[in-house]
Amino acid sequence: MLFRNRFLLLLALAALLAFLSLSLQFFHLIPMSAARNGASSKSRKRIMPDPVTEPPVTDPVYEALLYCNIPRVAERSMEGHAPHHFKLVSVQVLIRHGDRYPLYAIPKTKRPEIDCTLMANRKPYHPKLEAFVNHMSKGSGSSFESPLNSMPLYPNHALCEMGELTQTGVVQHLQNGQLLGDIYLKKHKLLPSDWSPDQLYLETTGRSRTLQSGLALLYGFLPDFDWKKIYFRHQPSVLFCSGNCYCPVRNQYLEKEQRRQYLLRLKNSQLEQTYGEMAKIVNVPTKLLRAANPIDSMLCHFCHNVSFPCTSSGCFDMEHFKVIKMHQIEDEKERRKKRLYLGYSLLGAHPILNQTIDRMQRIAEGRKDEVFALYSAHDVTLSPVLSALGLSEARFPRFAARLIFELWQDREKPSEHSVRILYNGVDVTFHTFFCQDHHKRSSKPMCPLENLVRFVKRDMFVTLDSSSTNYHDACHREGV
Ligand SMILES: *[C@@H]1O[C@H](CO)[C@@H](O)[C@H](O)[C@H]1NC(C)=O
Ligand SMILES: *[C@@H]1O[C@H](CO)[C@@H](O)[C@H](O)[C@H]1NC(C)=O
């Protein structure tokens, strides 16, 4: 009996770990062959390549730096670009929260000493930082759906709590907000100067880091942040699927994907040896160390330039870090081949994409509310959306990543609307499943809204398996 209980406990623990590791194993997504036209993955470039700095072979340290997304001064961005006879009519923004403290502690070591209070004399800094703190401290409880109204509106612990947003995270989103405000409000006048609360749609998961990230972005974005005009809805699911979360086939894909990950890990003897060495340093069983997800903590050390943890038996070092990251890269290569994650993603991302096109269609019909929508979310939200759109060559969502859906109206043919998709400032519209062949078939410079609508309502299920044409059937299909 005792043995059996222990076995069940271990099973549960293994399942939990698999889930946690899934959310942290996607540090960069590598090209996946296109779903239907079978284009070779070799011919597809990864999104966000920078010909000046991109190293010729995958470099785990370079990838980790991109992931940290340390705020720099100049950022190139392609948001808000269209031929002059197009008018911007709606923008929807899906973000990952900014830089945060680790979610797990490495056993028997001191947690990294990072200060999560916001201070003007600390880097990185943003000119709106003090005004942000000042404004947040006067926050209004009526601006939030429960349970968000009980949460702190900005990070404030001298030793960060687990998962807390850092100053870097706040600055990343102040910067995102300011960049988008300059483009969408100053240049394109998306909101009138006397905008009303129902022109914004704001939604966040119930974590302080997502709520605070959303607030920082909005504070950077709006010229007049007025608490009376702000209302954040609470989203209980990281997939933003509320009301449509029940989908057994999606869970089956996820279980198979986790099993694939587990088997691949067992095959990597260098990885096992590395975990073994690290476990010796902290003097705990290897299983326990792996369970603490050391790469998450090590990334925090790395992004904040704090040396890796040590004990009297030695230190974690860059070689350990590189081995774990290289394994993640191998893992993604295999994941792309097996396509189980694509199945999970198509079903997991459908509800939020459905909500996105629904809002676009209402605007296209002439409605004027919810012209700007912000969803403040997690890596496990953005990854499936990217993959479902066909952007699996995009990198894993870095801190403060942003995915944007723009809707444009053709002034010359006002009934025609077009979409643009941007990931971290890069126009990826013509990499998506629904518009990758557009140039071959049409001379229009922009991707028609109908393409995205047809994809979300029907084609995404056909991509998954040709017998289902709607969400309900695809979620309840037998024998995956
Ligand atoms: C990282 O820390 C080291 C030692 O504390 C310091 O010499 C170096 O300049 C720091 N690097 C950055 C980018 O801040
Ligand atoms: C898709 O959106 C429509 C319109 O808002 C809604 O009625 C429907 O329930 C949604 N379906 C799914 C599966 O999210």
Side-chain angles (χ1 to χ4, degrees):
M1 186 63 191
L2 187 66
F3 180 75
R4 192 184 144 79
N5 279 344
R6 217 192 234 181
F7 178 71
L8 288 177
L9 188 71
L10 273 180
L11 260 186
L13 190 66
L16 179 70
L17 291 183
F19 179 76
L20 294 177
S21 75
L22 183 76
S23 70
L24 285 146
Q25 291 223 343
F26 302 139
F27 284 105
H28 82 194
L29 308 181
I30 291 175
M32 183 205 66
S33 52
R36 276 162 301 160
N37 66 10
S40 151
S41 59
K42 284 199 194 92
S43 68
R44 299 191 72 186
K45 275 257 186 281
R46 283 176 39 181
I47 291 170
M48 255 188 63
D50 186 335
V52 185
T53 54
E54 188 95 358
V57 288
T58 309
D59 172 358
V61 174
Y62 174 82
E63 296 297 326
L65 273 172
L66 288 182
Y67 175 81
C68 299
N69 188 19
I70 308 294
R72 288 164 304 160
V73 204
E75 198 187 344
R76 288 173 304 163
S77 122
M78 291 296 288
E79 278 106 352
H81 286 223
H84 69 273
H85 59 96
F86 282 85
K87 179 180 188 258
L88 183 69
V89 289
S90 131
V91 172
Q92 302 185 60
V93 181
L94 172 58
I95 55 169
R96 185 186 178 202
H97 57 76
D99 178 78
R100 60 150 168 76
Y101 201 69
L103 299 174
Y104 326 92
I106 299 176
K108 302 198 179 168
T109 58
K110 239 171 88 206
R111 303 207 269 132
E113 277 179 37
I114 293 170
D115 185 340
C116 272
T117 58
L118 303 180
M119 299 210 296
N121 61 2
R122 186 188 310 126
K123 283 184 180 168
Y125 174 71
H126 188 280
K128 286 193 174 185
L129 187 72
E130 288 113 307
F132 171 73
V133 175
N134 193 13
H135 214 93
M136 291 305 114
S137 60
K138 296 179 198 126
S140 149
S142 60
S143 297
F144 304 99
E145 182 179 354
S146 168
L148 304 174
N149 45 8
S150 61
M151 287 183 176
L153 304 183
Y154 56 95
N156 57 3
H157 292 91
L159 174 58
C160 302
E161 303 203 314
M162 304 311 282
E164 186 167 287
L165 194 67
T166 65
Q167 174 156 326
T168 306
V170 170
V171 170
Q172 285 164 338
H173 277 303
L174 285 172
Q175 197 166 301
N176 271 337
Q178 180 144 30
L179 178 120
L180 299 181
D182 285 346
I183 297 169
Y184 295 138
L185 301 185
K186 284 199 189 131
K187 183 165 169 221
H188 288 289
K189 313 267 184 271
L190 182 68
L191 293 174
S193 55
D194 60 341
W195 59 276
S196 67
D198 59 9
Q199 287 176 303
L200 298 190
Y201 180 86
L202 311 169
E203 189 170 349
T204 176
T205 62
R207 298 282 173 192
S208 65
R209 61 181 173 279
T210 44
L211 177 67
Q212 294 166 4
S213 293
L215 285 167
L217 187 146
L218 214 53
Y219 193 78
F221 181 69
L222 295 170
D224 55 342
F225 186 105
D226 178 351
W227 281 114
K228 289 195 288 298
K229 293 183 175 182
I230 305 294
Y231 187 72
F232 265 93
R233 280 161 219 272
H234 171 237
Q235 173 54 251
S237 151
V238 293
L239 288 174
F240 281 60
C241 58
S242 61
N244 290 295
C245 290
Y246 183 62
C247 184
V249 172
R250 183 192 71 216
N251 297 340
Q252 288 170 32
Y253 276 117
L254 186 60
E255 279 156 27
K256 291 197 172 146
E257 166 62 16
Q258 287 163 347
R259 174 102 187 128
R260 178 199 67 67
Q261 279 190 6
Y262 171 73
L263 294 175
L264 187 73
R265 201 195 76 209
L266 291 189
K267 277 195 258 174
N268 187 340
S269 55
Q270 198 192 9
L271 181 73
E272 293 303 297
Q273 192 193 325
T274 298
Y275 277 132
E277 282 171 21
M278 291 166 72
K280 254 197 212 121
I281 289 171
V282 292
N283 192 25
V284 299
T286 308
K287 253 191 268 182
L288 204 70
L289 176 77
R290 206 188 286 114
N293 212 329
I295 191 71
D296 184 53
S297 292
M298 289 175 90
L299 275 164
C300 176
H301 286 261
F302 180 86
C303 295
H304 289 264
N305 197 21
V306 174
S307 51
F308 291 134
C310 293
T311 69
S312 56
S313 316
C315 293
F316 288 5
D317 64 31
M318 213 55 196
E319 292 314 307
H320 299 135
F321 183 74
K322 287 184 191 167
V323 169
I324 305 178
K325 278 219 54 85
M326 276 319 282
H327 175 74
Q328 292 175 329
I329 291 161
E330 291 306 312
D331 180 73
E332 283 150 14
K333 271 189 199 153
E334 194 196 55
R335 184 179 70 181
R336 166 177 44 128
K337 276 195 224 124
K338 301 246 163 124
R339 294 167 54 102
L340 296 165
Y341 187 72
L342 177 64
Y344 167 76
S345 297
L346 286 163
L347 296 173
H350 175 75
I352 189 171
L353 289 174
N354 180 50
Q355 192 186 336
T356 304
I357 57 159
D358 191 45
R359 192 168 289 115
M360 286 183 176
Q361 286 180 304
R362 277 183 278 142
I363 302 275
E365 286 161 11
R367 296 264 304 264
K368 294 275 184 272
D369 54 347
E370 298 182 8
V371 294
F372 180 82
L374 173 66
Y375 308 98
S376 189
H378 303 266
D379 55 355
V380 287
T381 318
L382 266 87
S383 271
V385 173
L386 290 167
S387 176
L389 289 174
L391 302 173
S392 35
E393 73 265 42
R395 285 197 159 85
F396 181 84
R398 64 188 192 186
F399 287 130
R402 60 181 196 271
L403 178 67
I404 299 190
F405 298 77
E406 295 176 351
L407 182 67
W408 297 80
Q409 181 180 36
D410 189 342
R411 285 195 179 96
E412 291 168 359
K413 297 183 196 123
S415 64
E416 292 193 5
H417 289 79
S418 302
V419 292
R420 291 180 78 230
I421 313 289
L422 298 112
Y423 183 49
N424 296 332
V426 179
D427 183 346
V428 294
T429 314
F430 298 108
H431 294 255
T432 60
F433 286 140
F434 63 90
C435 244
Q436 61 191 2
D437 297 334
H438 177 72
H439 291 310
K440 288 182 213 145
R441 294 185 188 162
S442 164
S443 58
K444 288 185 185 162
M446 302 269 274
C447 180
L449 170 61
E450 295 75 56
N451 285 32
L452 176 59
V453 171
R454 199 185 323 121
F455 175 71
V456 174
K457 292 222 182 284
R458 182 173 176 281
D459 290 355
M460 65 191 298
F461 307 112
V462 179
T463 299
L464 186 64
D465 94 287
S466 49
S467 69
S468 304
T469 55
N470 67 62
Y471 183 65
H472 183 270
D473 290 355
C475 282
H476 295 85
R477 191 160 43 98
E478 298 283 324
V480 173

